[in-house]
Amino acid sequence: MSADSFEKIYESVKNRTITKSMTRDGVSLESVSGNELFESSDAQHSDIANIIRNDFRVIFQKSGQNTSSIGCHPDFAELAGTDNQEYHHISSLFLDIRNSTRLSFLFPLEEVVIIKNSILIAASEAVRALDGYVHRFMGDALLAFFGNKHTHSDSSTVDAINCASLLEALMVGSIIPFLKKRGVDADYLGFRIGLDYGPDEKVLWASYGLGSVVEVTATSFHVDVAAKLQNMARKNTAMLGETIYRHMDLPEEYMKVKTKRVGEEVKKLTHLDRTYTDAAGVVHKYAVRELNHDAYRDLLPLPASDKALFPGTRVIACDGIDFECVVIEDSVEVFYPSVSRVLDKGLDLRFKLRVRPWVRGKLAFPLTVQFIKRNYGTEAQLEKGQGKFPKTPRTVLLNDPNVDTAFFAGWNEIENEGTRYRGLHTMEAEVKDTSGSVVYRDIIGVYIK
């Protein structure tokens, strides 16, 4: 989502707020009726979903639309007001806006409402764009669930991890730049996110409340701990519970051990900041990790030109060079955006690097192309397939190296691979010019069941 897209959300919220205020206070609207104003503002509000769909669902190749409303998870709505209960897995994401309290000292409260509401709407629509369900708002925080009865738990878990990374990119790349453009020193703002996964046997869905005041929600340590993980998170980071990162065998390269300075000592926070004792008297310590946003963001299916602008990135963009992956499904090439979904084992992959004709006048030929495969995880380790595997470098020449010509028709390089080991694996494409300088680098991540 660009800063311009977030501006549309902000203006939509602002217009709705002004409209409600005018109608409530009985202000004359002259030739425009209150109904017309509400219809206009509601139409603007519905455009928010279109912004998110165009910005997020397309790049992740999400089919259809997530039309779920904020509130009860639709798959468990029939439990409302009953004594029925159901076990079913879920990933829980708890988010709050870091340092939002400071806004009340800087702006009129009406403006604070608009800013906070715009941020939460953008965050909730990012959740919905990745097939999540926003369960509730709590002041400047929200609780969301990822998972349903027709999606494999691996897929919904990956959606949750991707959403955590996407939300950080949204805050750093869109929200803060927009607020700065309006003259707001917004660097103190940020998202704090807690994320965990509860398997089928450890998540119970039930109805809480009495009479007409009821809510269907999930009861689980892994739901409750999401809020505690969020509380541990630093600004613009996500803390992951042990169950979610082990469920997908997430590589250590894409996580960090959080540290905290206590006096002169740097303390490693490898576990939740409290322990739990069960009915048998056994003490439980729960391991946690911080998502390495700089590394994981490089895997998001955003254009290289966008990713190259983020701090800490390894991606280098070049106009005229692009890198993509396709998976062969039912004998058909299907575009696979990086980390967008979980693939079955035994599928063929083709990684394609394209060098377009117009780079001829911009880059010093000959160019050298190299693919670098990295396999991670327990299965790869057990089968001795774990590690870094650089492919043989390939040279991109002009059409005829013996003729001094400005003509260059472009160049395609393909690296064939397959889906074999469970977890997250990557393929990196790197292009160097004749001096050995890296002029392009991008990374594609592939999740395998």
Side-chain angles (χ1 to χ4, degrees), residues 330-369:
D330 297 325
S331 302
V332 177
E333 284 193 354
V334 179
F335 175 52
Y336 177 81
S338 179
V339 299
S340 59
R341 59 189 175 100
V342 183
L343 299 177
D344 292 324
K345 292 179 180 175
L347 298 176
D348 291 327
L349 301 172
R350 291 175 186 159
F351 294 90
K352 300 181 179 182
L353 181 89
R354 295 187 180 92
V355 181
R356 308 295 185 178
W358 57 86
V359 303
R360 169 64 178 85
K362 300 193 309 180
L363 301 178
F365 279 70
L367 306 179
T368 302
V369 175

mmCIF file of all heavy atoms in Angstrom, residues 330-369:
data_model
loop_
_atom_site.group_PDB
_atom_site.id
_atom_site.type_symbol
_atom_site.label_atom_id
_atom_site.label_comp_id
_atom_site.label_asym_id
_atom_site.label_seq_id
_atom_site.Cartn_x
_atom_site.Cartn_y
_atom_site.Cartn_z
ATOM 1 N N ASP A 330 -0.728 -29.466 -12.780
ATOM 2 C CA ASP A 330 -1.565 -30.050 -13.834
ATOM 3 C C ASP A 330 -1.023 -29.696 -15.214
ATOM 4 O O ASP A 330 -1.776 -29.337 -16.129
ATOM 5 C CB ASP A 330 -3.017 -29.577 -13.690
ATOM 6 C CG ASP A 330 -3.647 -30.026 -12.381
ATOM 7 O OD1 ASP A 330 -3.324 -31.137 -11.930
ATOM 8 O OD2 ASP A 330 -4.450 -29.260 -11.814
ATOM 9 N N SER A 331 0.294 -29.782 -15.348
ATOM 10 C CA SER A 331 1.004 -29.541 -16.621
ATOM 11 C C SER A 331 0.914 -28.094 -17.091
ATOM 12 O O SER A 331 1.210 -27.801 -18.260
ATOM 13 C CB SER A 331 0.463 -30.474 -17.722
ATOM 14 O OG SER A 331 0.605 -31.833 -17.355
ATOM 15 N N VAL A 332 0.527 -27.183 -16.213
ATOM 16 C CA VAL A 332 0.393 -25.773 -16.567
ATOM 17 C C VAL A 332 1.313 -24.937 -15.687
ATOM 18 O O VAL A 332 1.419 -25.179 -14.478
ATOM 19 C CB VAL A 332 -1.065 -25.293 -16.408
ATOM 20 C CG1 VAL A 332 -1.185 -23.802 -16.704
ATOM 21 C CG2 VAL A 332 -1.992 -26.091 -17.319
ATOM 22 N N GLU A 333 1.996 -23.954 -16.304
ATOM 23 C CA GLU A 333 2.808 -23.020 -15.523
ATOM 24 C C GLU A 333 1.900 -22.042 -14.787
ATOM 25 O O GLU A 333 1.098 -21.347 -15.413
ATOM 26 C CB GLU A 333 3.762 -22.232 -16.433
ATOM 27 C CG GLU A 333 4.964 -23.009 -16.900
ATOM 28 C CD GLU A 333 6.016 -22.098 -17.509
ATOM 29 O OE1 GLU A 333 5.751 -20.883 -17.663
ATOM 30 O OE2 GLU A 333 7.114 -22.592 -17.837
ATOM 31 N N VAL A 334 2.026 -21.988 -13.457
ATOM 32 C CA VAL A 334 1.231 -21.084 -12.631
ATOM 33 C C VAL A 334 2.187 -20.154 -11.894
ATOM 34 O O VAL A 334 3.095 -20.620 -11.192
ATOM 35 C CB VAL A 334 0.358 -21.863 -11.629
ATOM 36 C CG1 VAL A 334 -0.442 -20.897 -10.754
ATOM 37 C CG2 VAL A 334 -0.577 -22.823 -12.355
ATOM 38 N N PHE A 335 1.981 -18.857 -12.041
ATOM 39 C CA PHE A 335 2.834 -17.883 -11.371
ATOM 40 C C PHE A 335 2.764 -18.081 -9.864
ATOM 41 O O PHE A 335 1.683 -18.208 -9.283
ATOM 42 C CB PHE A 335 2.376 -16.473 -11.741
ATOM 43 C CG PHE A 335 3.106 -15.375 -11.009
ATOM 44 C CD1 PHE A 335 4.485 -15.321 -10.981
ATOM 45 C CD2 PHE A 335 2.388 -14.379 -10.346
ATOM 46 C CE1 PHE A 335 5.156 -14.308 -10.316
ATOM 47 C CE2 PHE A 335 3.041 -13.361 -9.675
ATOM 48 C CZ PHE A 335 4.426 -13.327 -9.656
ATOM 49 N N TYR A 336 3.936 -18.129 -9.219
ATOM 50 C CA TYR A 336 4.008 -18.302 -7.767
ATOM 51 C C TYR A 336 4.681 -17.080 -7.155
ATOM 52 O O TYR A 336 5.915 -16.975 -7.163
ATOM 53 C CB TYR A 336 4.788 -19.571 -7.400
ATOM 54 C CG TYR A 336 4.956 -19.752 -5.906
ATOM 55 C CD1 TYR A 336 3.938 -20.282 -5.126
ATOM 56 C CD2 TYR A 336 6.126 -19.364 -5.268
ATOM 57 C CE1 TYR A 336 4.073 -20.440 -3.762
ATOM 58 C CE2 TYR A 336 6.288 -19.511 -3.899
ATOM 59 C CZ TYR A 336 5.254 -20.044 -3.144
ATOM 60 O OH TYR A 336 5.403 -20.186 -1.783
ATOM 61 N N PRO A 337 3.910 -16.127 -6.629
ATOM 62 C CA PRO A 337 4.522 -15.003 -5.922
ATOM 63 C C PRO A 337 5.257 -15.509 -4.678
ATOM 64 O O PRO A 337 4.774 -16.417 -3.986
ATOM 65 C CB PRO A 337 3.323 -14.126 -5.542
ATOM 66 C CG PRO A 337 2.211 -14.563 -6.438
ATOM 67 C CD PRO A 337 2.444 -16.022 -6.676
ATOM 68 N N SER A 338 6.386 -14.940 -4.393
ATOM 69 C CA SER A 338 7.218 -15.363 -3.272
ATOM 70 C C SER A 338 6.410 -15.483 -1.981
ATOM 71 O O SER A 338 5.622 -14.594 -1.640
ATOM 72 C CB SER A 338 8.358 -14.364 -3.082
ATOM 73 O OG SER A 338 9.174 -14.716 -1.984
ATOM 74 N N VAL A 339 6.594 -16.593 -1.277
ATOM 75 C CA VAL A 339 5.977 -16.933 0.026
ATOM 76 C C VAL A 339 4.450 -16.758 0.043
ATOM 77 O O VAL A 339 3.844 -16.642 1.111
ATOM 78 C CB VAL A 339 6.600 -16.148 1.213
ATOM 79 C CG1 VAL A 339 8.074 -16.459 1.358
ATOM 80 C CG2 VAL A 339 6.375 -14.639 1.118
ATOM 81 N N SER A 340 3.796 -16.761 -1.107
ATOM 82 C CA SER A 340 2.372 -16.452 -1.158
ATOM 83 C C SER A 340 1.488 -17.583 -0.671
ATOM 84 O O SER A 340 0.387 -17.346 -0.162
ATOM 85 C CB SER A 340 1.967 -16.068 -2.582
ATOM 86 O OG SER A 340 2.256 -17.124 -3.483
ATOM 87 N N ARG A 341 1.936 -18.833 -0.839
ATOM 88 C CA ARG A 341 1.131 -19.969 -0.399
ATOM 89 C C ARG A 341 2.039 -21.168 -0.189
ATOM 90 O O ARG A 341 3.219 -21.146 -0.562
ATOM 91 C CB ARG A 341 0.035 -20.306 -1.405
ATOM 92 C CG ARG A 341 0.497 -20.646 -2.813
ATOM 93 C CD ARG A 341 -0.675 -20.743 -3.778
ATOM 94 N NE ARG A 341 -0.249 -20.960 -5.151
ATOM 95 C CZ ARG A 341 -0.242 -22.142 -5.772
ATOM 96 N NH1 ARG A 341 -0.631 -23.224 -5.097
ATOM 97 N NH2 ARG A 341 0.146 -22.253 -7.026
ATOM 98 N N VAL A 342 1.473 -22.231 0.387
ATOM 99 C CA VAL A 342 2.232 -23.438 0.680
ATOM 100 C C VAL A 342 1.998 -24.445 -0.443
ATOM 101 O O VAL A 342 0.856 -24.742 -0.801
ATOM 102 C CB VAL A 342 1.809 -24.045 2.027
ATOM 103 C CG1 VAL A 342 2.648 -25.263 2.359
ATOM 104 C CG2 VAL A 342 1.938 -23.011 3.136
ATOM 105 N N LEU A 343 3.090 -24.970 -1.002
ATOM 106 C CA LEU A 343 3.007 -25.906 -2.123
ATOM 107 C C LEU A 343 3.147 -27.349 -1.645
ATOM 108 O O LEU A 343 3.817 -27.631 -0.642
ATOM 109 C CB LEU A 343 4.110 -25.603 -3.139
ATOM 110 C CG LEU A 343 4.093 -24.212 -3.782
ATOM 111 C CD1 LEU A 343 5.304 -24.060 -4.707
ATOM 112 C CD2 LEU A 343 2.802 -23.972 -4.549
ATOM 113 N N ASP A 344 2.527 -28.253 -2.386
ATOM 114 C CA ASP A 344 2.703 -29.677 -2.129
ATOM 115 C C ASP A 344 4.112 -30.107 -2.529
ATOM 116 O O ASP A 344 4.777 -29.452 -3.347
ATOM 117 C CB ASP A 344 1.677 -30.485 -2.927
ATOM 118 C CG ASP A 344 0.249 -30.282 -2.443
ATOM 119 O OD1 ASP A 344 0.057 -30.126 -1.210
ATOM 120 O OD2 ASP A 344 -0.670 -30.274 -3.285
ATOM 121 N N LYS A 345 4.539 -31.227 -1.996
ATOM 122 C CA LYS A 345 5.815 -31.803 -2.410
ATOM 123 C C LYS A 345 5.666 -32.436 -3.796
ATOM 124 O O LYS A 345 4.568 -32.796 -4.226
ATOM 125 C CB LYS A 345 6.274 -32.853 -1.404
ATOM 126 C CG LYS A 345 6.668 -32.283 -0.055
ATOM 127 C CD LYS A 345 7.089 -33.382 0.896
ATOM 128 C CE LYS A 345 7.476 -32.815 2.255
ATOM 129 N NZ LYS A 345 7.791 -33.877 3.243
ATOM 130 N N GLY A 346 6.800 -32.563 -4.468
ATOM 131 C CA GLY A 346 6.818 -33.245 -5.747
ATOM 132 C C GLY A 346 6.425 -32.401 -6.941
ATOM 133 O O GLY A 346 6.153 -32.949 -8.020
ATOM 134 N N LEU A 347 6.412 -31.073 -6.789
ATOM 135 C CA LEU A 347 6.079 -30.184 -7.898
ATOM 136 C C LEU A 347 7.346 -29.602 -8.514
ATOM 137 O O LEU A 347 8.355 -29.414 -7.828
ATOM 138 C CB LEU A 347 5.166 -29.046 -7.428
ATOM 139 C CG LEU A 347 3.797 -29.445 -6.864
ATOM 140 C CD1 LEU A 347 3.062 -28.212 -6.348
ATOM 141 C CD2 LEU A 347 2.955 -30.167 -7.914
ATOM 142 N N ASP A 348 7.282 -29.323 -9.814
ATOM 143 C CA ASP A 348 8.404 -28.699 -10.507
ATOM 144 C C ASP A 348 8.301 -27.177 -10.425
ATOM 145 O O ASP A 348 7.215 -26.614 -10.565
ATOM 146 C CB ASP A 348 8.427 -29.121 -11.980
ATOM 147 C CG ASP A 348 8.779 -30.584 -12.158
ATOM 148 O OD1 ASP A 348 9.567 -31.102 -11.342
ATOM 149 O OD2 ASP A 348 8.248 -31.221 -13.096
ATOM 150 N N LEU A 349 9.456 -26.531 -10.212
ATOM 151 C CA LEU A 349 9.539 -25.076 -10.150
ATOM 152 C C LEU A 349 10.470 -24.571 -11.250
ATOM 153 O O LEU A 349 11.460 -25.236 -11.591
ATOM 154 C CB LEU A 349 10.086 -24.618 -8.792
ATOM 155 C CG LEU A 349 9.319 -25.022 -7.538
ATOM 156 C CD1 LEU A 349 10.124 -24.643 -6.303
ATOM 157 C CD2 LEU A 349 7.944 -24.368 -7.500
ATOM 158 N N ARG A 350 10.151 -23.399 -11.771
ATOM 159 C CA ARG A 350 11.038 -22.734 -12.719
ATOM 160 C C ARG A 350 11.255 -21.296 -12.264
ATOM 161 O O ARG A 350 10.299 -20.522 -12.159
ATOM 162 C CB ARG A 350 10.444 -22.756 -14.134
ATOM 163 C CG ARG A 350 10.405 -24.136 -14.751
ATOM 164 C CD ARG A 350 9.719 -24.161 -16.088
ATOM 165 N NE ARG A 350 9.583 -25.537 -16.566
ATOM 166 C CZ ARG A 350 8.705 -25.927 -17.485
ATOM 167 N NH1 ARG A 350 7.884 -25.033 -18.039
ATOM 168 N NH2 ARG A 350 8.643 -27.187 -17.854
ATOM 169 N N PHE A 351 12.504 -20.977 -11.989
ATOM 170 C CA PHE A 351 12.872 -19.622 -11.601
ATOM 171 C C PHE A 351 13.385 -18.902 -12.840
ATOM 172 O O PHE A 351 14.311 -19.383 -13.505
ATOM 173 C CB PHE A 351 13.932 -19.640 -10.501
ATOM 174 C CG PHE A 351 13.432 -20.222 -9.207
ATOM 175 C CD1 PHE A 351 13.544 -21.582 -8.950
ATOM 176 C CD2 PHE A 351 12.823 -19.416 -8.261
ATOM 177 C CE1 PHE A 351 13.079 -22.131 -7.762
ATOM 178 C CE2 PHE A 351 12.352 -19.946 -7.064
ATOM 179 C CZ PHE A 351 12.473 -21.305 -6.818
ATOM 180 N N LYS A 352 12.786 -17.760 -13.155
ATOM 181 C CA LYS A 352 13.081 -17.065 -14.411
ATOM 182 C C LYS A 352 13.633 -15.670 -14.140
ATOM 183 O O LYS A 352 12.979 -14.859 -13.477
ATOM 184 C CB LYS A 352 11.810 -16.949 -15.256
ATOM 185 C CG LYS A 352 11.177 -18.294 -15.620
ATOM 186 C CD LYS A 352 9.939 -18.087 -16.478
ATOM 187 C CE LYS A 352 9.313 -19.419 -16.883
ATOM 188 N NZ LYS A 352 8.128 -19.221 -17.763
ATOM 189 N N LEU A 353 14.809 -15.411 -14.656
ATOM 190 C CA LEU A 353 15.397 -14.078 -14.608
ATOM 191 C C LEU A 353 15.343 -13.492 -16.014
ATOM 192 O O LEU A 353 15.796 -14.131 -16.972
ATOM 193 C CB LEU A 353 16.840 -14.123 -14.119
ATOM 194 C CG LEU A 353 17.498 -12.746 -14.037
ATOM 195 C CD1 LEU A 353 17.260 -12.129 -12.668
ATOM 196 C CD2 LEU A 353 18.986 -12.827 -14.333
ATOM 197 N N ARG A 354 14.803 -12.283 -16.146
ATOM 198 C CA ARG A 354 14.704 -11.629 -17.447
ATOM 199 C C ARG A 354 15.542 -10.352 -17.453
ATOM 200 O O ARG A 354 15.419 -9.528 -16.546
ATOM 201 C CB ARG A 354 13.248 -11.285 -17.764
ATOM 202 C CG ARG A 354 12.337 -12.489 -17.936
ATOM 203 C CD ARG A 354 10.961 -12.053 -18.425
ATOM 204 N NE ARG A 354 10.056 -13.182 -18.592
ATOM 205 C CZ ARG A 354 9.229 -13.623 -17.648
ATOM 206 N NH1 ARG A 354 9.200 -13.018 -16.466
ATOM 207 N NH2 ARG A 354 8.435 -14.649 -17.863
ATOM 208 N N VAL A 355 16.376 -10.223 -18.466
ATOM 209 C CA VAL A 355 17.141 -8.995 -18.695
ATOM 210 C C VAL A 355 16.547 -8.348 -19.939
ATOM 211 O O VAL A 355 16.614 -8.915 -21.035
ATOM 212 C CB VAL A 355 18.641 -9.293 -18.885
ATOM 213 C CG1 VAL A 355 19.405 -7.992 -19.102
ATOM 214 C CG2 VAL A 355 19.197 -10.053 -17.690
ATOM 215 N N ARG A 356 15.942 -7.186 -19.780
ATOM 216 C CA ARG A 356 15.228 -6.530 -20.876
ATOM 217 C C ARG A 356 16.190 -5.778 -21.805
ATOM 218 O O ARG A 356 17.295 -5.383 -21.395
ATOM 219 C CB ARG A 356 14.200 -5.548 -20.313
ATOM 220 C CG ARG A 356 13.261 -6.152 -19.271
ATOM 221 C CD ARG A 356 12.363 -7.219 -19.851
ATOM 222 N NE ARG A 356 11.401 -7.683 -18.862
ATOM 223 C CZ ARG A 356 10.451 -8.585 -19.092
ATOM 224 N NH1 ARG A 356 10.350 -9.111 -20.291
ATOM 225 N NH2 ARG A 356 9.618 -8.956 -18.137
ATOM 226 N N PRO A 357 15.757 -5.530 -23.038
ATOM 227 C CA PRO A 357 16.649 -4.877 -24.020
ATOM 228 C C PRO A 357 17.148 -3.506 -23.592
ATOM 229 O O PRO A 357 18.284 -3.132 -23.934
ATOM 230 C CB PRO A 357 15.765 -4.774 -25.275
ATOM 231 C CG PRO A 357 14.762 -5.860 -25.134
ATOM 232 C CD PRO A 357 14.484 -5.962 -23.664
ATOM 233 N N TRP A 358 16.328 -2.746 -22.855
ATOM 234 C CA TRP A 358 16.718 -1.365 -22.577
ATOM 235 C C TRP A 358 17.822 -1.220 -21.526
ATOM 236 O O TRP A 358 18.253 -0.113 -21.232
ATOM 237 C CB TRP A 358 15.503 -0.532 -22.181
ATOM 238 C CG TRP A 358 14.716 -1.024 -20.995
ATOM 239 C CD1 TRP A 358 14.945 -0.761 -19.680
ATOM 240 C CD2 TRP A 358 13.533 -1.823 -21.029
ATOM 241 N NE1 TRP A 358 14.013 -1.361 -18.878
ATOM 242 C CE2 TRP A 358 13.117 -2.017 -19.691
ATOM 243 C CE3 TRP A 358 12.778 -2.406 -22.048
ATOM 244 C CZ2 TRP A 358 11.985 -2.776 -19.360
ATOM 245 C CZ3 TRP A 358 11.654 -3.150 -21.712
ATOM 246 C CH2 TRP A 358 11.269 -3.324 -20.394
ATOM 247 N N VAL A 359 18.305 -2.327 -20.945
ATOM 248 C CA VAL A 359 19.434 -2.205 -20.024
ATOM 249 C C VAL A 359 20.746 -2.030 -20.799
ATOM 250 O O VAL A 359 21.783 -1.732 -20.207
ATOM 251 C CB VAL A 359 19.544 -3.422 -19.078
ATOM 252 C CG1 VAL A 359 18.255 -3.616 -18.305
ATOM 253 C CG2 VAL A 359 19.907 -4.688 -19.834
ATOM 254 N N ARG A 360 20.691 -2.222 -22.141
ATOM 255 C CA ARG A 360 21.911 -2.165 -22.967
ATOM 256 C C ARG A 360 22.693 -0.878 -22.749
ATOM 257 O O ARG A 360 23.918 -0.894 -22.637
ATOM 258 C CB ARG A 360 21.507 -2.305 -24.458
ATOM 259 C CG ARG A 360 22.629 -2.007 -25.460
ATOM 260 C CD ARG A 360 23.768 -3.003 -25.333
ATOM 261 N NE ARG A 360 24.812 -2.749 -26.310
ATOM 262 C CZ ARG A 360 25.805 -1.883 -26.161
ATOM 263 N NH1 ARG A 360 25.877 -1.153 -25.083
ATOM 264 N NH2 ARG A 360 26.715 -1.738 -27.112
ATOM 265 N N GLY A 361 22.002 0.244 -22.652
ATOM 266 C CA GLY A 361 22.710 1.508 -22.506
ATOM 267 C C GLY A 361 22.973 1.909 -21.072
ATOM 268 O O GLY A 361 23.602 2.943 -20.814
ATOM 269 N N LYS A 362 22.504 1.092 -20.105
ATOM 270 C CA LYS A 362 22.630 1.478 -18.694
ATOM 271 C C LYS A 362 23.674 0.669 -17.937
ATOM 272 O O LYS A 362 24.226 1.141 -16.945
ATOM 273 C CB LYS A 362 21.275 1.326 -17.992
ATOM 274 C CG LYS A 362 20.160 2.185 -18.583
ATOM 275 C CD LYS A 362 18.937 2.238 -17.678
ATOM 276 C CE LYS A 362 18.465 0.884 -17.241
ATOM 277 N NZ LYS A 362 17.275 0.958 -16.367
ATOM 278 N N LEU A 363 23.904 -0.565 -18.385
ATOM 279 C CA LEU A 363 24.792 -1.451 -17.647
ATOM 280 C C LEU A 363 26.021 -1.793 -18.472
ATOM 281 O O LEU A 363 25.978 -1.827 -19.711
ATOM 282 C CB LEU A 363 24.057 -2.741 -17.272
ATOM 283 C CG LEU A 363 22.798 -2.582 -16.411
ATOM 284 C CD1 LEU A 363 22.168 -3.953 -16.165
ATOM 285 C CD2 LEU A 363 23.116 -1.895 -15.088
ATOM 286 N N ALA A 364 27.124 -2.052 -17.770
ATOM 287 C CA ALA A 364 28.383 -2.403 -18.432
ATOM 288 C C ALA A 364 28.427 -3.910 -18.675
ATOM 289 O O ALA A 364 28.564 -4.700 -17.743
ATOM 290 C CB ALA A 364 29.562 -1.960 -17.567
ATOM 291 N N PHE A 365 28.307 -4.305 -19.953
ATOM 292 C CA PHE A 365 28.340 -5.721 -20.325
ATOM 293 C C PHE A 365 29.786 -6.193 -20.431
ATOM 294 O O PHE A 365 30.690 -5.382 -20.653
ATOM 295 C CB PHE A 365 27.631 -5.891 -21.676
ATOM 296 C CG PHE A 365 26.133 -5.950 -21.575
ATOM 297 C CD1 PHE A 365 25.399 -4.833 -21.230
ATOM 298 C CD2 PHE A 365 25.452 -7.143 -21.826
ATOM 299 C CE1 PHE A 365 24.034 -4.872 -21.149
ATOM 300 C CE2 PHE A 365 24.074 -7.192 -21.744
ATOM 301 C CZ PHE A 365 23.358 -6.048 -21.404
ATOM 302 N N PRO A 366 30.002 -7.511 -20.326
ATOM 303 C CA PRO A 366 29.021 -8.576 -20.119
ATOM 304 C C PRO A 366 28.541 -8.639 -18.667
ATOM 305 O O PRO A 366 29.269 -8.260 -17.747
ATOM 306 C CB PRO A 366 29.785 -9.845 -20.493
ATOM 307 C CG PRO A 366 31.218 -9.507 -20.186
ATOM 308 C CD PRO A 366 31.366 -8.051 -20.531
ATOM 309 N N LEU A 367 27.320 -9.132 -18.502
ATOM 310 C CA LEU A 367 26.745 -9.321 -17.175
ATOM 311 C C LEU A 367 26.933 -10.776 -16.749
ATOM 312 O O LEU A 367 26.981 -11.683 -17.580
ATOM 313 C CB LEU A 367 25.251 -8.989 -17.186
ATOM 314 C CG LEU A 367 24.842 -7.617 -17.724
ATOM 315 C CD1 LEU A 367 23.323 -7.472 -17.676
ATOM 316 C CD2 LEU A 367 25.512 -6.501 -16.940
ATOM 317 N N THR A 368 27.017 -10.979 -15.446
ATOM 318 C CA THR A 368 27.114 -12.336 -14.894
ATOM 319 C C THR A 368 25.897 -12.599 -14.011
ATOM 320 O O THR A 368 25.593 -11.803 -13.118
ATOM 321 C CB THR A 368 28.397 -12.518 -14.066
ATOM 322 O OG1 THR A 368 29.527 -12.245 -14.886
ATOM 323 C CG2 THR A 368 28.492 -13.934 -13.526
ATOM 324 N N VAL A 369 25.209 -13.695 -14.276
ATOM 325 C CA VAL A 369 24.000 -14.069 -13.530
ATOM 326 C C VAL A 369 24.323 -15.290 -12.680
ATOM 327 O O VAL A 369 24.923 -16.262 -13.164
ATOM 328 C CB VAL A 369 22.836 -14.400 -14.485
ATOM 329 C CG1 VAL A 369 21.623 -14.899 -13.708
ATOM 330 C CG2 VAL A 369 22.471 -13.184 -15.321
#
